Amino acid sequence: MAQLLDGIDTLSRLIKTYHPIVKRYFLQYLKQSDCIELRHIIQNFPAPEEESLLLTSFIDKLGGLDITNLEAEENFKALRIDWQRLQAYTNVSQSQLQLKQHEGLAICMNTIEYHSRCVDSMDILLKEVTDLSNLCFYQKFIQDSFQKCLERSDTAPYSVVYAGVCSHFINTCNDYCPEEHCFIGKKSIDLANHFLDMTAREAQRYLELYCLERLQMHMHTHPSFGAQLMAEARNNKEREAKKERPAPPIPLPGAESKKSKLEEMTQMDKNFAKMVSHLQALNTLPNLVVWQHTFAPREYIIHHLDELFNRLISQHIFQEGGQQIQLPSIMSHRLVGLMDVFRQLESYITLDTSRIFNVILLQHTQPQENTPGPTLASQYTIWYLDKLEEHIKSGEVCFAPLRKCFVRKHQMAPNFNAELYTNIAELQALAKMLGPYGIKYLGEQLMERCERHV
């Protein structure tokens, strides 16, 4: 059903866009084809005087068309009324000319009537043919159909058409019941907003699943994963020397791309396909007008992308146990991988990912922001200062001028590995991630802590 509704909507928009070309075609068709055929039919046609005058007026009207001046407004309303008058004359029992005995004339005149409406009454004709306002009374049916459309990746690109159907609802109103305009208008706006928001939410949901899998793959390119592979290989050699069973091998980067058949789809491929289909749906129309309200489908997904990018950053600040914060170098590596995934979206929908990065990353350089989760600046500042102050007070950590970082006095003393978090490489990654505002806040908090102990 979604494809059918999309076909109706697409054809209607194309005809409205190229109406001058359609008008020119049918205007030429009326003069150069319909007029000749009608003249051939009524030649030597036995008709009373009144019916003969009407038939002659048809020929004169069509033959006098000026197809060179296409900007001139043609009005065929009188011709259509005369055709109805002729039908009334020829369908009475006392008439000498019975229309049912001249089928060719009826077919030709009905064709001329249709072609004339394509010239001067295209808007009315489209409204009669493509009007979907009756679906206003079957809201449950539309919502069920929309939900089924979202569940399948082959029909999801047409999901936005349901929001377009809502623009037809106002056509059910008439001047005899003016109080219905407000009720049906609000109903159509709420339903269109619901359809667009649900499509954007589904795109966000599949994008989040895809991002998590891509981040896991991106971390395989970090040096820490190479060190893990080397340690695992060394442990396996030691187990072989002791004739112990080796540990199961760690999957190497790129193993997920190996397929026995090209048609095989992994879960990540399915999530990616569904995400792309929903993004393509939101990219179909730049704007949508429903009861004098303009909707921008792309703005829905942009709002959800801002929310998702901020949430994914907040989720990966701490390690899996939640006790240790991520090393700044690893967190920066995750941010690069996350930004690479978001940049891919520009291939499927028109949006500015640079704006998303600038806004969200700027928020995370501030200590407090109107965000649902913690910011990078606040969490790293609190963790660094609290941990360092705690272990410096206890005498377990001290500063080593030669190494230019804080070190543990003996290896088994604390769980806090000061060397990992305070060496030059990690501090450089921290400064790059927090930016000038975050480092300024960190310095101010550090000076306040120092003042308390002076």
Side-chain angles (χ1 to χ4, degrees), residues 205-217:
R205 183 167 71 89
Y206 289 113
L207 176 59
E208 183 174 4
L209 297 174
Y210 179 68
C211 281
L212 294 176
E213 294 177 348
R214 281 293 303 270
L215 280 178
Q216 186 177 1
M217 294 169 55

Side-chain angles (χ1 to χ4, degrees), residues 62-63 141 181-182 191 329 345 371 393 396 439 449:
L62 298 178
F141 169 74
H181 279 75
C182 187
L191 202 56
S329 60
L345 303 182
T371 56
K393 278 183 179 180
E396 298 170 347
I439 293 300
R449 297 285 182 102

Side-chain angles (χ1 to χ4, degrees), residues 21-38:
I21 299 175
V22 176
K23 176 183 176 181
R24 178 178 61 186
Y25 171 79
F26 282 107
L27 198 62
Q28 293 175 350
Y29 200 98
L30 282 169
K31 181 171 183 179
Q32 298 177 357
S33 178
D34 290 336
C35 180
I36 296 174
E37 182 180 358
L38 181 61

Side-chain angles (χ1 to χ4, degrees), residues 400-446:
L402 185 62
R403 299 177 63 178
K404 298 182 180 180
C405 66
F406 287 90
V407 296
R408 294 174 290 182
K409 288 184 178 180
H410 44 90
Q411 294 295 326
M412 302 303 293
N415 294 325
F416 175 59
N417 193 344
E419 296 94 323
L420 282 179
Y421 286 90
T422 59
N423 61 69
I424 294 179
E426 293 298 334
L427 292 180
Q428 286 176 344
L430 180 66
K432 182 179 179 181
M433 184 171 57
L434 297 187
Y437 294 111
I439 293 300
K440 179 183 177 182
Y441 173 72
L442 176 61
E444 291 173 352
Q445 294 297 311
L446 179 60

Side-chain angles (χ1 to χ4, degrees), residues 40-100:
H40 178 72
I41 290 174
I42 66 174
Q43 191 175 8
N44 301 324
F45 195 78
E49 182 179 357
E50 198 163 345
E51 286 83 346
S52 180
L53 288 174
L54 290 175
L55 293 173
T56 304
S57 67
F58 298 157
I59 297 293
D60 295 340
K61 175 64 177 177
L62 298 178
L65 293 176
D66 184 10
I67 60 176
T68 58
N69 186 13
L70 299 176
E71 296 182 358
E73 292 294 333
E74 296 289 347
N75 190 347
F76 293 94
K77 190 174 181 179
L79 184 144
R80 292 191 289 269
I81 293 176
D82 286 342
W83 166 230
Q84 294 176 4
R85 185 182 294 114
L86 179 63
Q87 293 179 71
Y89 288 164
T90 56
N91 280 306
V92 295
S93 57
Q94 293 82 8
S95 175
Q96 299 180 7
L97 175 63
Q98 293 292 325
L99 188 61
K100 61 183 179 181

Side-chain angles (χ1 to χ4, degrees), residues 238-245:
E238 293 177 357
R239 291 191 183 97
E240 289 177 0
K242 297 178 182 180
K243 297 183 179 181
E244 295 179 359
R245 188 174 183 180

Side-chain angles (χ1 to χ4, degrees), residues 153-165:
S153 57
D154 58 336
T155 58
Y158 306 102
S159 57
V160 147
V161 74
Y162 288 92
V165 170

